[in-house]
Amino acid sequence: DNSARTALLSAVSHDLRTPLAGIKAAIGSLRSSEVTFSPEDQAELEAAIEDSADRLDTLIGNLLDMSRLQAGALVASPRPVDLGEVVPAAVAAVSEPDRVDWSLDPTARIVVADPGLLDRVLGNVVENALRHQPPPGRVRVSTSGLGGRTQVRVVDTGPGVPEDARERIFLPFQRYGDAPSGDGVGLGLAVARGLAEALDGEVSAEETPGGGL
């Protein structure tokens, strides 16, 4: 209905404007002729610009992916892919790669997938895990063979999600809990599941022993 669309547009606008505002503020400071920044301060402002641009890129990418999924316009190009290339590349591209550990089962490395879409799936799921994993806790990524298929597990030890809410976190524009800023309109997991299904895969949530997902 109109109220739902208005709320959605408001959330999307806010999440697009927040990193844009950060970029403009940092650039305005760097261009100011009234202040001389130390190399450390300049580097901090440049890092803030890069971080905001990365957040903007992630949000726009997920909005575009979701629109393609909902329009049935997503085209996957599966081929044999080495997880030894995809997993470390996906981990390196997340916001805090130094908080992610990964290991690969040597017997479960080659999968049939579209490498670009698989990278998006892994990146979104790992980013979501990081968002709900309080520092200094770490996120773990591992692979294993399971009945002729390959399973990639992304494990956090954060607060977790009750069993009756675990399907809801995969709906578009849903957020669970009070995670800090990021892909705030709640598209990351919905996009990950949609892209995985386009690759004849699936994304599901289960409890981590001791807490987390």
Side-chain angles (χ1 to χ4, degrees):
D1 60 10
N2 284 335
S3 61
R5 281 196 293 271
T6 300
L8 171 58
L9 284 171
S10 175
V12 171
S13 297
H14 175 269
D15 274 30
L16 289 171
R17 285 176 173 169
T18 299
L20 272 176
I23 291 170
K24 289 192 69 172
I27 290 176
S29 297
L30 287 171
R31 295 186 65 186
S32 172
S33 58
E34 299 173 4
V35 183
T36 301
F37 292 102
S38 68
E40 293 81 9
D41 289 339
Q42 180 166 331
E44 189 172 323
L45 286 167
E46 290 170 349
I49 292 170
E50 186 173 28
D51 178 64
S52 291
D54 286 343
R55 284 179 55 197
L56 202 56
D57 182 64
T58 297
L59 178 59
I60 291 171
N62 278 334
L63 285 167
L64 291 173
D65 283 341
M66 181 53 63
S67 67
R68 288 192 296 160
L69 284 165
Q70 291 184 336
L74 188 79
V75 178
S77 301
R79 61 178 175 81
V81 175
D82 184 355
L83 291 176
E85 297 176 2
V86 176
V87 170
V91 168
V94 299
S95 59
E96 297 178 276
D98 56 327
R99 287 212 293 133
V100 183
D101 301 314
W102 58 271
S103 61
L104 302 178
D105 180 342
T107 66
R109 280 187 55 158
I110 305 300
V111 298
V112 176
D114 181 311
L117 298 185
L118 182 57
D119 177 84
R120 299 278 299 164
V121 172
L122 290 173
N124 278 0
V125 177
V126 173
E127 198 67 67
N128 184 78
L130 281 169
R131 199 174 300 133
H132 293 88
Q133 175 69 76
R138 305 182 68 78
V139 169
R140 291 181 288 115
V141 182
S142 62
T143 67
S144 59
L146 187 68
R149 291 169 72 86
T150 298
Q151 186 176 69
V152 181
R153 300 179 70 84
V154 178
V155 181
D156 70 70
T157 53
V161 177
E163 187 173 0
D164 61 0
R166 285 182 202 154
E167 278 302 297
R168 201 164 68 244
I169 64 175
F170 293 103
L171 295 175
F173 311 115
Q174 299 290 314
R175 296 191 68 195
Y176 183 84
D178 54 356
S181 61
D183 181 9
V185 292
L187 279 177
L189 291 181
V191 166
R193 172 171 278 187
L195 296 182
E197 289 174 350
L199 298 172
D200 190 32
E202 61 179 281
V203 178
S204 59
E206 60 185 55
E207 185 178 16
T208 301
L213 282 185

